[in-house]
């Protein structure tokens, strides 16, 4: 079956060059291709929402990581949501709403690998890319599994107004923790406390973070969920409680810095406090996504969890400019490009 | 009972000033006191062996740590071994050989807290301060508990010719691991491979450590046991296997450096490799020392484990000079000052 009009054009965003520092327009190439009918066992998705994530900056570098870098000339890797518009796949029908790694383009052909059907009646597509998608999974498994958060513990999270951070803080509250967020700007801090129920927020642009942590968590921190690295990680290390867990989720302060990243000078606090610092990659939890999504969907329904999305409406060619919002700290919650 | 001669003098080494950098002679004050008969429930030990440990450098700093700093004017804290020479304690008799925190002095009075009786017929006193003492405990619980080493894994250890490192490598071999040591100088490296049975050794003074690790452990490292910090920690982080454990035991390269310690720039390797870095303090395992000591005594007896001791004979006033050997990398194995 197909709803594809003849002559439909797919606008695409490809990686043209590897950036040093912030990825400017020179990094991107915009291309067009005709959209063909899918082959046997395959289907075509019209992309309506593209997820923008800090990890994308890492995929631009030509270095070994948990996934290979995006190659020069390739459509840029991105999680996205959309609607099946043509199908020769037995499990996907025209009209199905799906999420998957469709890339920064308007149309994607797929064999169904890694593709999830989603119910856009139950929650809007942006939410399926946010709390109910990889963002939510990253928060859930990072806090509960890697961080092993227990009821009554004090949780500190950086990048707290960002996609993952805003979920981490809410999950910690739901599980009976005391939650302190670190974010940039008074408005983000107000949002965390007044709208998301954080116990306290520290504005790293206006306050000494170390003093802020001491004031907001005078007995120290049991779980520090790090999205930013750099000086904030170093400040957090000075306020660990005995047996604390530092969850390494990201290091956005370092992604566009020149030269080598800055290591945490205070890492020996891990020894003094018998603490650990541990990294993870959410894909390793794929066989438990269903369990986490079901639990979070319940919390969404009963209003204890809020999915904060920052949806930018535009063309796929706005992808590069929209991505920069992440590194400027302009967004609150999950950044999504909705294809107008 | 008492074997104390009237007029016996106790020579002591006290902390006179807090050093910056290497602790030179200005840091120490040598004092004398008469030795009195012990009070009720107490006993006097004549110290024969004083343990010298990298951690002592940290105790000189006026900073919060897992133990309070040594106060200015106090006899310097040290584990030591000796013989009971006067006792009014029901559990300790004149002639008993004991280890405990007797400090850098010739005689110590004790109420028995933290004091162990040792069998100097089974192993010499220096060995009770080495493999059978805190050094051995530090290696054992760090490798097996914090590092969770499993059979067949590749273990990398820095400071490998030092007191703890030389035991870690041997324990990893006994448990069926492949062991690579990092040490300074060809002679130490030869010693590790030829005498202690390490699979390979890297001379950090002569080789590029990162390349050396790649050559010696081409499939990567499962457990990295870090005694040194600094550039060697950073090099090790680049060669972690998935799920690796970095055990933070010490950071001797940083103890005498000016300014802030250098943090591990490559810490995000923990994320990519789903790895963890964890600190510990051996005192937390006190209730399991007996178990570990019994197992290690068995390995000593059957020749699978060797206690390497570097025993310097001298007066208690040689304590400060002897300590510097640790920071110059002059010693191989456990450094002990034997009171002549």
């Amino acid at each position: 079956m197909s709803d594809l009009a003849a002559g439909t054009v797919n606008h695409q965003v490809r990686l043209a060059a590897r950036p040093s520092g912030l990825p400017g327009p020179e990094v991107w190439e915009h291309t067009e291709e005709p959209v063909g009918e899918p082959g046997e066992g395959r289907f075509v998705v019209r992309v309506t929402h593209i997820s923008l994530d800090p990890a994308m900056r890492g995929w631009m570098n030509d270095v070994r990581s948990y996934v290979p870098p995006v190659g020069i000339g390739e459509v840029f890797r991105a999680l996205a949501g959309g609607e099946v518009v043509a199908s020769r796949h037995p499990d996907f029908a025209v009209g199905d709403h799906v999420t998957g790694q469709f890339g920064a383009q308007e149309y994607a052909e797929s064999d169904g690998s890694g593709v999830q059907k989603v119910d856009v009646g139950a929650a809007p597509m942006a939410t399926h890319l946010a709390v109910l998608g990889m963002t939510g999974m990253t928060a859930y498994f990072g806090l509960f599994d890697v961080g092993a958060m227990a009821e009554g513990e004090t949780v500190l999270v950086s990048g707290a107004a960002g996609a993952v951070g805003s979920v981490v803080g809410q999950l910690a509250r739901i599980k009976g923790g005391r939650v302190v967020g670190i974010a940039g700007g008074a408005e983000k801090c107000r949002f965390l406390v007044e709208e998301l129920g954080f116990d306290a927020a520290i504005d790293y642009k206006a306050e000494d973070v170390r003093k802020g942590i001491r004031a907001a968590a005078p007995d120290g921190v049991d779980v520090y969920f790090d999205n930013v690295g750099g000086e904030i990680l170093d400040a957090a290390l000075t306020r660990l409680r005995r047996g604390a867990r530092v969850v390494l989720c990201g290091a956005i302060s370092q992604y566009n810095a020149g030269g080598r990243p800055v290591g945490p000078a205070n890492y020996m606090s891990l020894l003094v406090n018998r603490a650990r610092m541990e990294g993870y990659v959410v894909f390793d939890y794929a066989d438990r996504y269903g369990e986490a999504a079901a639990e979070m969907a319940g919390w969404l329904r009963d209003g204890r969890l809020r999915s904060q999305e920052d949806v930018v409406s535009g063309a796929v060619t706005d992808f590069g400019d929209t991505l920069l919002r992440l590194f400027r700290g302009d967004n609150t919650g999950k950044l999504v490009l909705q294809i107008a």
Side-chain angles (χ1 to χ4, degrees), chain A residues 69-91:
Chain A
V70 175
I72 297 295
E74 286 180 12
V75 172
F76 200 72
R77 182 187 297 141
L79 286 169
E83 191 177 343
V84 176
V85 290
S87 181
R88 295 180 67 195
H89 191 295
D91 302 332

Side-chain angles (χ1 to χ4, degrees), chain A residues 87-164:
Chain A
S87 181
R88 295 180 67 195
H89 191 295
D91 302 332
F92 293 90
V94 169
D96 282 351
H97 290 89
V98 290
T99 59
Q101 207 167 273
F102 301 134
Q105 56 184 344
E106 292 173 341
Y107 292 89
E109 194 177 306
S110 170
D111 64 2
S113 306
V115 174
Q116 302 282 326
K117 284 192 221 187
V118 299
D119 179 357
V120 293
M125 180 58 87
T127 303
H128 291 289
L129 292 175
V131 167
L132 298 177
M134 281 308 107
T135 298
M137 300 300 129
T138 301
Y140 185 98
F141 292 106
L143 180 64
F144 296 140
D145 280 71
V146 186
M149 184 218 155
E151 193 180 330
E153 288 193 323
T154 295
V155 175
L156 176 70
V157 55
S158 58
V164 171

